[in-house]
Amino acid sequence: MPVSSFDITRVIRPNILRLEPYRCARDDFSEGVLLDANENSYGPAYKSNISCDNGQIRVEPQADRLQLHRYPDPKGYEVKQRILKLRPSVGSVDNVFLGVGSDEIIDLIVRITCQPGRDSILITPPTYGMYKVVASINDVGIVKVPLIVEDGAFQLDVDAVIAAATGDSAVKVIWLCSPGNPTGTILREADVRRVLDSGFGGVVVVDEAYVDFVRAERGGSYARLVAEYSGLFVMQTMSKSFGLAGIRLGVGIGGREMVSYLNRAKAPYSVSSLTLDVAKDALSDEGIQKMRNIVTSLQAQRDGFLIPKLLQLPSVGAILGGNDANFVLCRFVDSNGNASNEIALRVYTEMAQNRGLVVRYRGSDYGCEGCLRLTVGTADENKLVIETMRSVLSED
């Protein structure tokens, strides 16, 4: 919705509006002789030199570049500054939130907006499963408006989304996944704008975990719309294009007030110094260029090898969706051309249990009957996928 019509005080739970956030020591001072946070002044114990002199234990503190005996920067300021270089349309570090993976951000958004037992979220199946899980944990209702799935379109049923969201005052958050998981399809900007312009009074979240894999001519990040729509919140991650799933860093981009309320509700030191250090290196000019080079390689493997080779295999009926992510959604069909969960499950089970090759079965998801989701691997891994799948499918 336009900036002028969004009132965040009507979205955030009253107790969060009143919340006086915990003020941690590093909010005040981060330099000098720091004896304010009950940290261990000797530094990391496992790095210390310990000796015994005349029966007395002597400890020699060791220099530690990361200062791991100190609590981390609670706001991750340096990392946020580098995110602004990656997403230059974002106005300020005050528009950026850092969480322990996107999952922490999902949970926090639900907790600060939805009253347990009363409010709801809206999701558009097939979509990322954690939206539903987080809502259930927090005793929040779930309104489902399926995507248009015919012919693998995987696009919003815009009129139905708007009707469901604006017709039910309990709906506080609309979750949109673009590119979707498991759909691998970016949502049309005109459709996203219609939802934002609909008069819906809650938060519209666009989850962009895979956005860097979208070819430029297909679209880009909706983070550029945050300045235009204060009810929009965009989620991204370091797990996919940057290849840093192990550091667990999620990124949220939204209006300053929304980011402020998320910071009030989060644990004070949730993102570790180790995570922030790796992320800072990854977001350097050199790190960003390396990421883009790898994305280009993955796109070439996806479009130039994996998809055409899959389509040549027996029982493979189609590759669904827009192929805007680092995976493909492969549909298996029977001799009549009908989507077959039986074939998909047989291929999945045989490869995982007996061939040491694991993909993801998605045949139970709406609109994904007969489907396996295959991550785009290295060139050698992709060749192995094709060879193994051909072998399995050739067996009676």
Side-chain angles (χ1 to χ4, degrees):
M1 71 206 64
V3 172
S4 59
S5 67
F6 179 75
D7 183 357
I8 197 167
T9 64
R10 303 185 66 174
V11 178
I12 303 299
R13 291 169 56 186
N15 61 307
I16 302 298
L17 292 173
R18 297 189 301 267
L19 177 66
E20 183 177 341
Y22 176 80
R23 187 162 187 83
C24 56
R26 293 301 152 259
D27 283 326
D28 298 320
F29 298 99
S30 60
E31 297 179 348
V33 179
L34 300 174
L35 301 176
D36 57 344
N38 299 334
E39 299 154 329
N40 188 329
S41 296
Y42 279 87
Y46 80 101
K47 285 194 171 186
S48 299
N49 289 333
I50 300 178
S51 59
C52 186
D53 183 11
N54 294 324
Q56 298 294 316
I57 293 178
R58 297 177 58 85
V59 180
E60 298 178 21
Q62 296 297 300
D64 172 35
R65 179 180 67 84
L66 293 181
Q67 295 285 288
L68 293 179
H69 63 303
R70 301 297 183 192
Y71 288 112
D73 174 3
K75 298 298 191 295
Y77 184 76
E78 289 183 291
V79 170
K80 290 181 180 181
Q81 284 185 309
R82 295 196 175 191
I83 287 170
L84 298 185
K85 296 179 68 175
L86 175 67
R87 310 295 182 205
S89 64
V90 180
S92 164
V93 293
D94 294 333
N95 297 110
V96 181
F97 178 81
L98 302 179
V100 183
S102 295
D103 293 337
E104 183 190 31
I105 302 177
I106 293 169
D107 182 60
L108 282 170
I109 290 173
V110 170
R111 286 198 285 128
I112 70 172
T113 60
C114 296
Q115 294 273 19
R118 191 180 80 181
D119 291 331
S120 303
I121 65 167
L122 186 151
I123 62 174
T124 58
T127 193
Y128 183 43
M130 279 304 294
Y131 311 142
K132 180 179 177 180
V133 170
V134 167
S136 297
I137 290 171
N138 287 285
D139 192 21
V140 168
I142 302 165
V143 176
K144 299 179 182 179
V145 180
L147 295 174
I148 297 170
V149 300
E150 284 73 21
D151 300 319
F154 297 127
Q155 291 295 328
L156 294 176
D157 186 343
V158 183
D159 290 338
V161 169
I162 292 173
T166 59
D168 183 354
S169 62
V171 176
K172 292 298 189 292
V173 183
I174 298 175
W175 294 98
L176 306 179
C177 203
S178 179
N181 176 14
T183 71
T185 303
I186 192 169
L187 298 177
R188 289 188 289 259
E189 180 171 336
D191 292 346
V192 174
R193 282 185 177 273
R194 279 191 62 198
V195 174
L196 291 166
D197 287 328
S198 67
F200 170 62
V203 179
V204 177
V205 182
V206 180
D207 187 344
E208 294 186 335
Y210 301 94
V211 72
D212 291 318
F213 298 102
V214 182
R215 291 196 180 276
E217 64 271 16
R218 292 272 296 164
S221 172
Y222 287 121
R224 70 187 188 280
L225 300 184
V226 165
E228 187 175 349
Y229 295 97
S230 55
L232 172 64
F233 193 84
V234 174
M235 295 196 317
Q236 299 178 354
T237 180
M238 300 293 289
S239 296
K240 308 300 180 183
S241 60
F242 282 94
L244 291 172
I247 72 169
R248 308 306 301 130
L249 185 64
V251 178
I253 299 169
R256 293 183 181 213
E257 288 183 305
M258 183 67 179
V259 170
S260 175
Y261 284 116
L262 288 168
N263 280 323
R264 289 190 194 190
K266 74 183 288 290
Y269 301 114
S270 60
V271 180
S272 76
S273 296
L274 296 170
T275 291
L276 293 172
D277 185 64
V278 173
K280 189 168 66 172
D281 282 349
L283 289 162
S284 66
D285 291 343
E286 180 184 7
I288 291 172
Q289 187 57 53
K290 286 181 177 179
M291 177 273 285
R292 289 174 175 157
N293 290 341
I294 290 173
V295 165
T296 299
S297 177
L298 281 166
Q299 289 171 330
Q301 280 291 311
R302 179 190 68 195
D303 301 336
F305 178 82
L306 190 58
I307 291 175
K309 291 296 185 182
L310 285 169
L311 289 171
Q312 294 173 9
L313 295 177
S315 298
V316 172
I319 304 298
L320 300 185
N323 299 305
D324 296 318
N326 68 333
F327 59 84
V328 296
L329 192 63
C330 180
R331 169 166 280 169
F332 294 84
V333 297
D334 60 22
S335 58
N336 296 316
N338 298 317
S340 174
N341 279 347
E342 180 181 355
I343 295 174
L345 270 172
R346 180 170 67 84
V347 172
Y348 164 76
T349 303
E350 172 64 21
M351 291 199 308
Q353 293 185 355
N354 301 320
R355 309 293 182 101
L357 200 163
V358 184
V359 296
R360 194 74 177 266
Y361 174 72
R362 302 309 300 250
S364 299
D365 291 328
Y366 178 77
C368 300
E369 295 80 4
C371 286
L372 297 181
R373 191 193 70 195
L374 293 79
T375 303
V376 180
T378 64
D380 288 342
E381 288 172 335
N382 296 330
K383 290 176 183 177
L384 178 63
V385 167
I386 299 300
E387 293 168 1
T388 305
M389 198 172 286
R390 180 181 291 113
S391 172
V392 172
L393 288 167
S394 67
E395 297 176 353
D396 293 330

